Amino acid sequence: MTNDTVDTNATTTLTEDDVWTTGPDGEQIPNYEATFPTINEGEVVHGEVVRVDKDEVLVDIGYKSEGVIPVAELSIRRSVNPEDEVKLGDEIDALVLTKEDADGRLILSKKRARFEIAWKAIEAAAESGEAVIGKVIEVVKGGLILDLGVRGFLPASLVDIRRVQDLDEFLGQELRCKVIELNRSRNNVVLSRRAVLEDERKEMRQAILDRLSPGDVVEGQISNIVDFGAFVDLDGMDGLIHISELSWSHVNHPSEVLEIGQTVQVKVLDIDRDRQRISLGLKQTQSDPWQQVVEAYNENDVVQGKVTKVVTFGAFVEIMPGVEGLVHISELAQHHVENPREVVSQGDVVNVKIIEVDAERRRLSLSLKRVEDDDDVQPRADGQPLETPSPTPAPQIDLSDDVFAEEQTQEEGTDEALAEERTQEEATDEALAETPVAESTPDIPAGEPEVEPEVAPEHADASIEADAVAPEEQGPGDSEGEPPAAPEEADEPPAAPDEADEPA
């Protein structure tokens, strides 16, 4: 495909042989074909707009018929109105798509002619490093689309030196950009406006670097906030305030201290002229609270503070903004503490005693258990009024209602066991009382009347004494609750008195 433009309006010197030709019958007839320019498909031709319809545009290129540009071939924009692209009488360039279609029409394309012409200019700009100018025609996800005769893509991160929040503000503007990527096979063009702006500000940045020195205090505007710090615009060049240099007190995120657009006074900490980077500090422009502590307090002074963090080895207490001290777990209470949260919680207001001040290492050791009731609390160094300290929780001795409930349950179980044991013993005693005791009866010969033996007086006392045996003399079977063993039966019945032999 050639990219040369055919000037169809140029006059061509025609000879007599060119104007006339010999017809089939041998007679001379006008040669109309010789008066028309020679065009080929793929060539770019020049012509005048002679008609504008809602779906096509007619262009006179000096050919035997007018060229037709369909609405889809007018512009690289989508869904365009032909009247917004061309006007009647405009002179335009168009690329020949088809010399004759099915209806014998000459089909042209305005957007492809622009593409061919623009691509040459873009290639030349990419080689030389010059900027190209395009109009923003669309806002898409991730960036902008520019009309360069070719659709050029400008990523959002390369629109400006700092991140742009709203890309819609660039819609319709003409931007100067550099070509950073070019691919003809994919018709892909990637642009960067940031590169143009950086080149324009390069001399200005060098002047800023030459003007600044470490230790200078300058004024700037917050241009961007990130997790690790904030960027400050110093009239054409950005410097970084690291999050550790924002405040004397702990900062979780820079947005807690600063906001975009805020004007601040910062101190120049370091300048890397080779990499063109400036390190800034914000807290250096503020009074150092540690110096106030050293001047206002001494060791053994009792001061008031607020618990900012509770850790396994103790608690950190802020006695003034930017100054925190550590109360070690051994200094929290008089009794042994397993967990610091048993004594203090985050946000508690407490009175603590200063036991050590290390100004060089900026460390402060505090004690909670060494504070006496009659100690005087020093006024706050920052001038803030004293608050009522938070109540100290009572020491926990690991006794709770559950423990007492368990003990009570155990006692009730023991009482029930004892009551059941007594019931069993009573039942045993009753059973023993109802059991008849077998009496030893001497053998009596048959036919003889039973005579109840009489106990001799001299044996009566012995029988009584035998029944009352001392407990220590009882045998193994005489334990409490068991019936006494029956006396052994005598081999012979006791002898009756002599008077019993004689009948009464």
Side-chain angles (χ1 to χ4, degrees), residues 13-22 28-32 34-35:
T13 303
L14 300 177
T15 64
E16 186 176 351
D17 294 336
D18 295 329
V19 175
W20 298 93
T21 185
T22 303
Q28 295 289 323
I29 59 175
N31 186 5
Y32 295 107
T35 62

Side-chain angles (χ1 to χ4, degrees), residues 295-306:
E295 295 175 356
Y297 300 136
N298 299 311
E299 292 185 2
N300 296 322
D301 284 349
V302 177
V303 296
Q304 189 176 91
K306 180 176 290 187

Side-chain angles (χ1 to χ4, degrees), residues 127-168:
E127 292 177 0
S128 63
E130 297 180 356
V132 294
I133 300 177
K135 188 175 183 179
V136 179
I137 58 175
E138 290 182 35
V139 177
V140 296
K141 182 179 180 180
L144 304 172
I145 299 297
L146 274 66
D147 182 5
L148 304 172
V150 178
R151 289 174 67 88
F153 177 64
L154 177 58
S157 59
L158 301 178
V159 173
D160 205 337
I161 292 178
R162 47 183 175 267
R163 186 78 177 182
V164 178
Q165 303 296 329
D166 185 12
L167 293 175
D168 290 334

Side-chain angles (χ1 to χ4, degrees), residues 65-141:
S65 63
E66 295 172 341
V68 178
I69 303 178
V71 66
E73 296 295 332
L74 276 175
S75 174
I76 60 175
R77 302 185 186 187
R78 299 183 177 90
S79 302
V80 297
N81 185 0
E83 294 183 354
D84 295 335
E85 291 295 323
V86 294
K87 302 294 182 184
L88 196 64
D90 287 350
E91 293 187 357
I92 61 172
D93 292 324
L95 185 136
V96 179
L97 296 179
T98 306
K99 292 181 65 174
E100 289 187 8
D101 64 357
D103 298 330
R105 300 183 306 170
L106 174 65
I107 305 300
L108 306 177
S109 173
K110 176 176 178 289
K111 73 175 183 180
R112 300 192 188 191
R114 285 193 62 205
F115 180 90
E116 295 297 335
I117 297 172
W119 194 267
K120 282 187 175 182
I122 292 171
E123 287 181 332
E127 292 177 0
S128 63
E130 297 180 356
V132 294
I133 300 177
K135 188 175 183 179
V136 179
I137 58 175
E138 290 182 35
V139 177
V140 296
K141 182 179 180 180

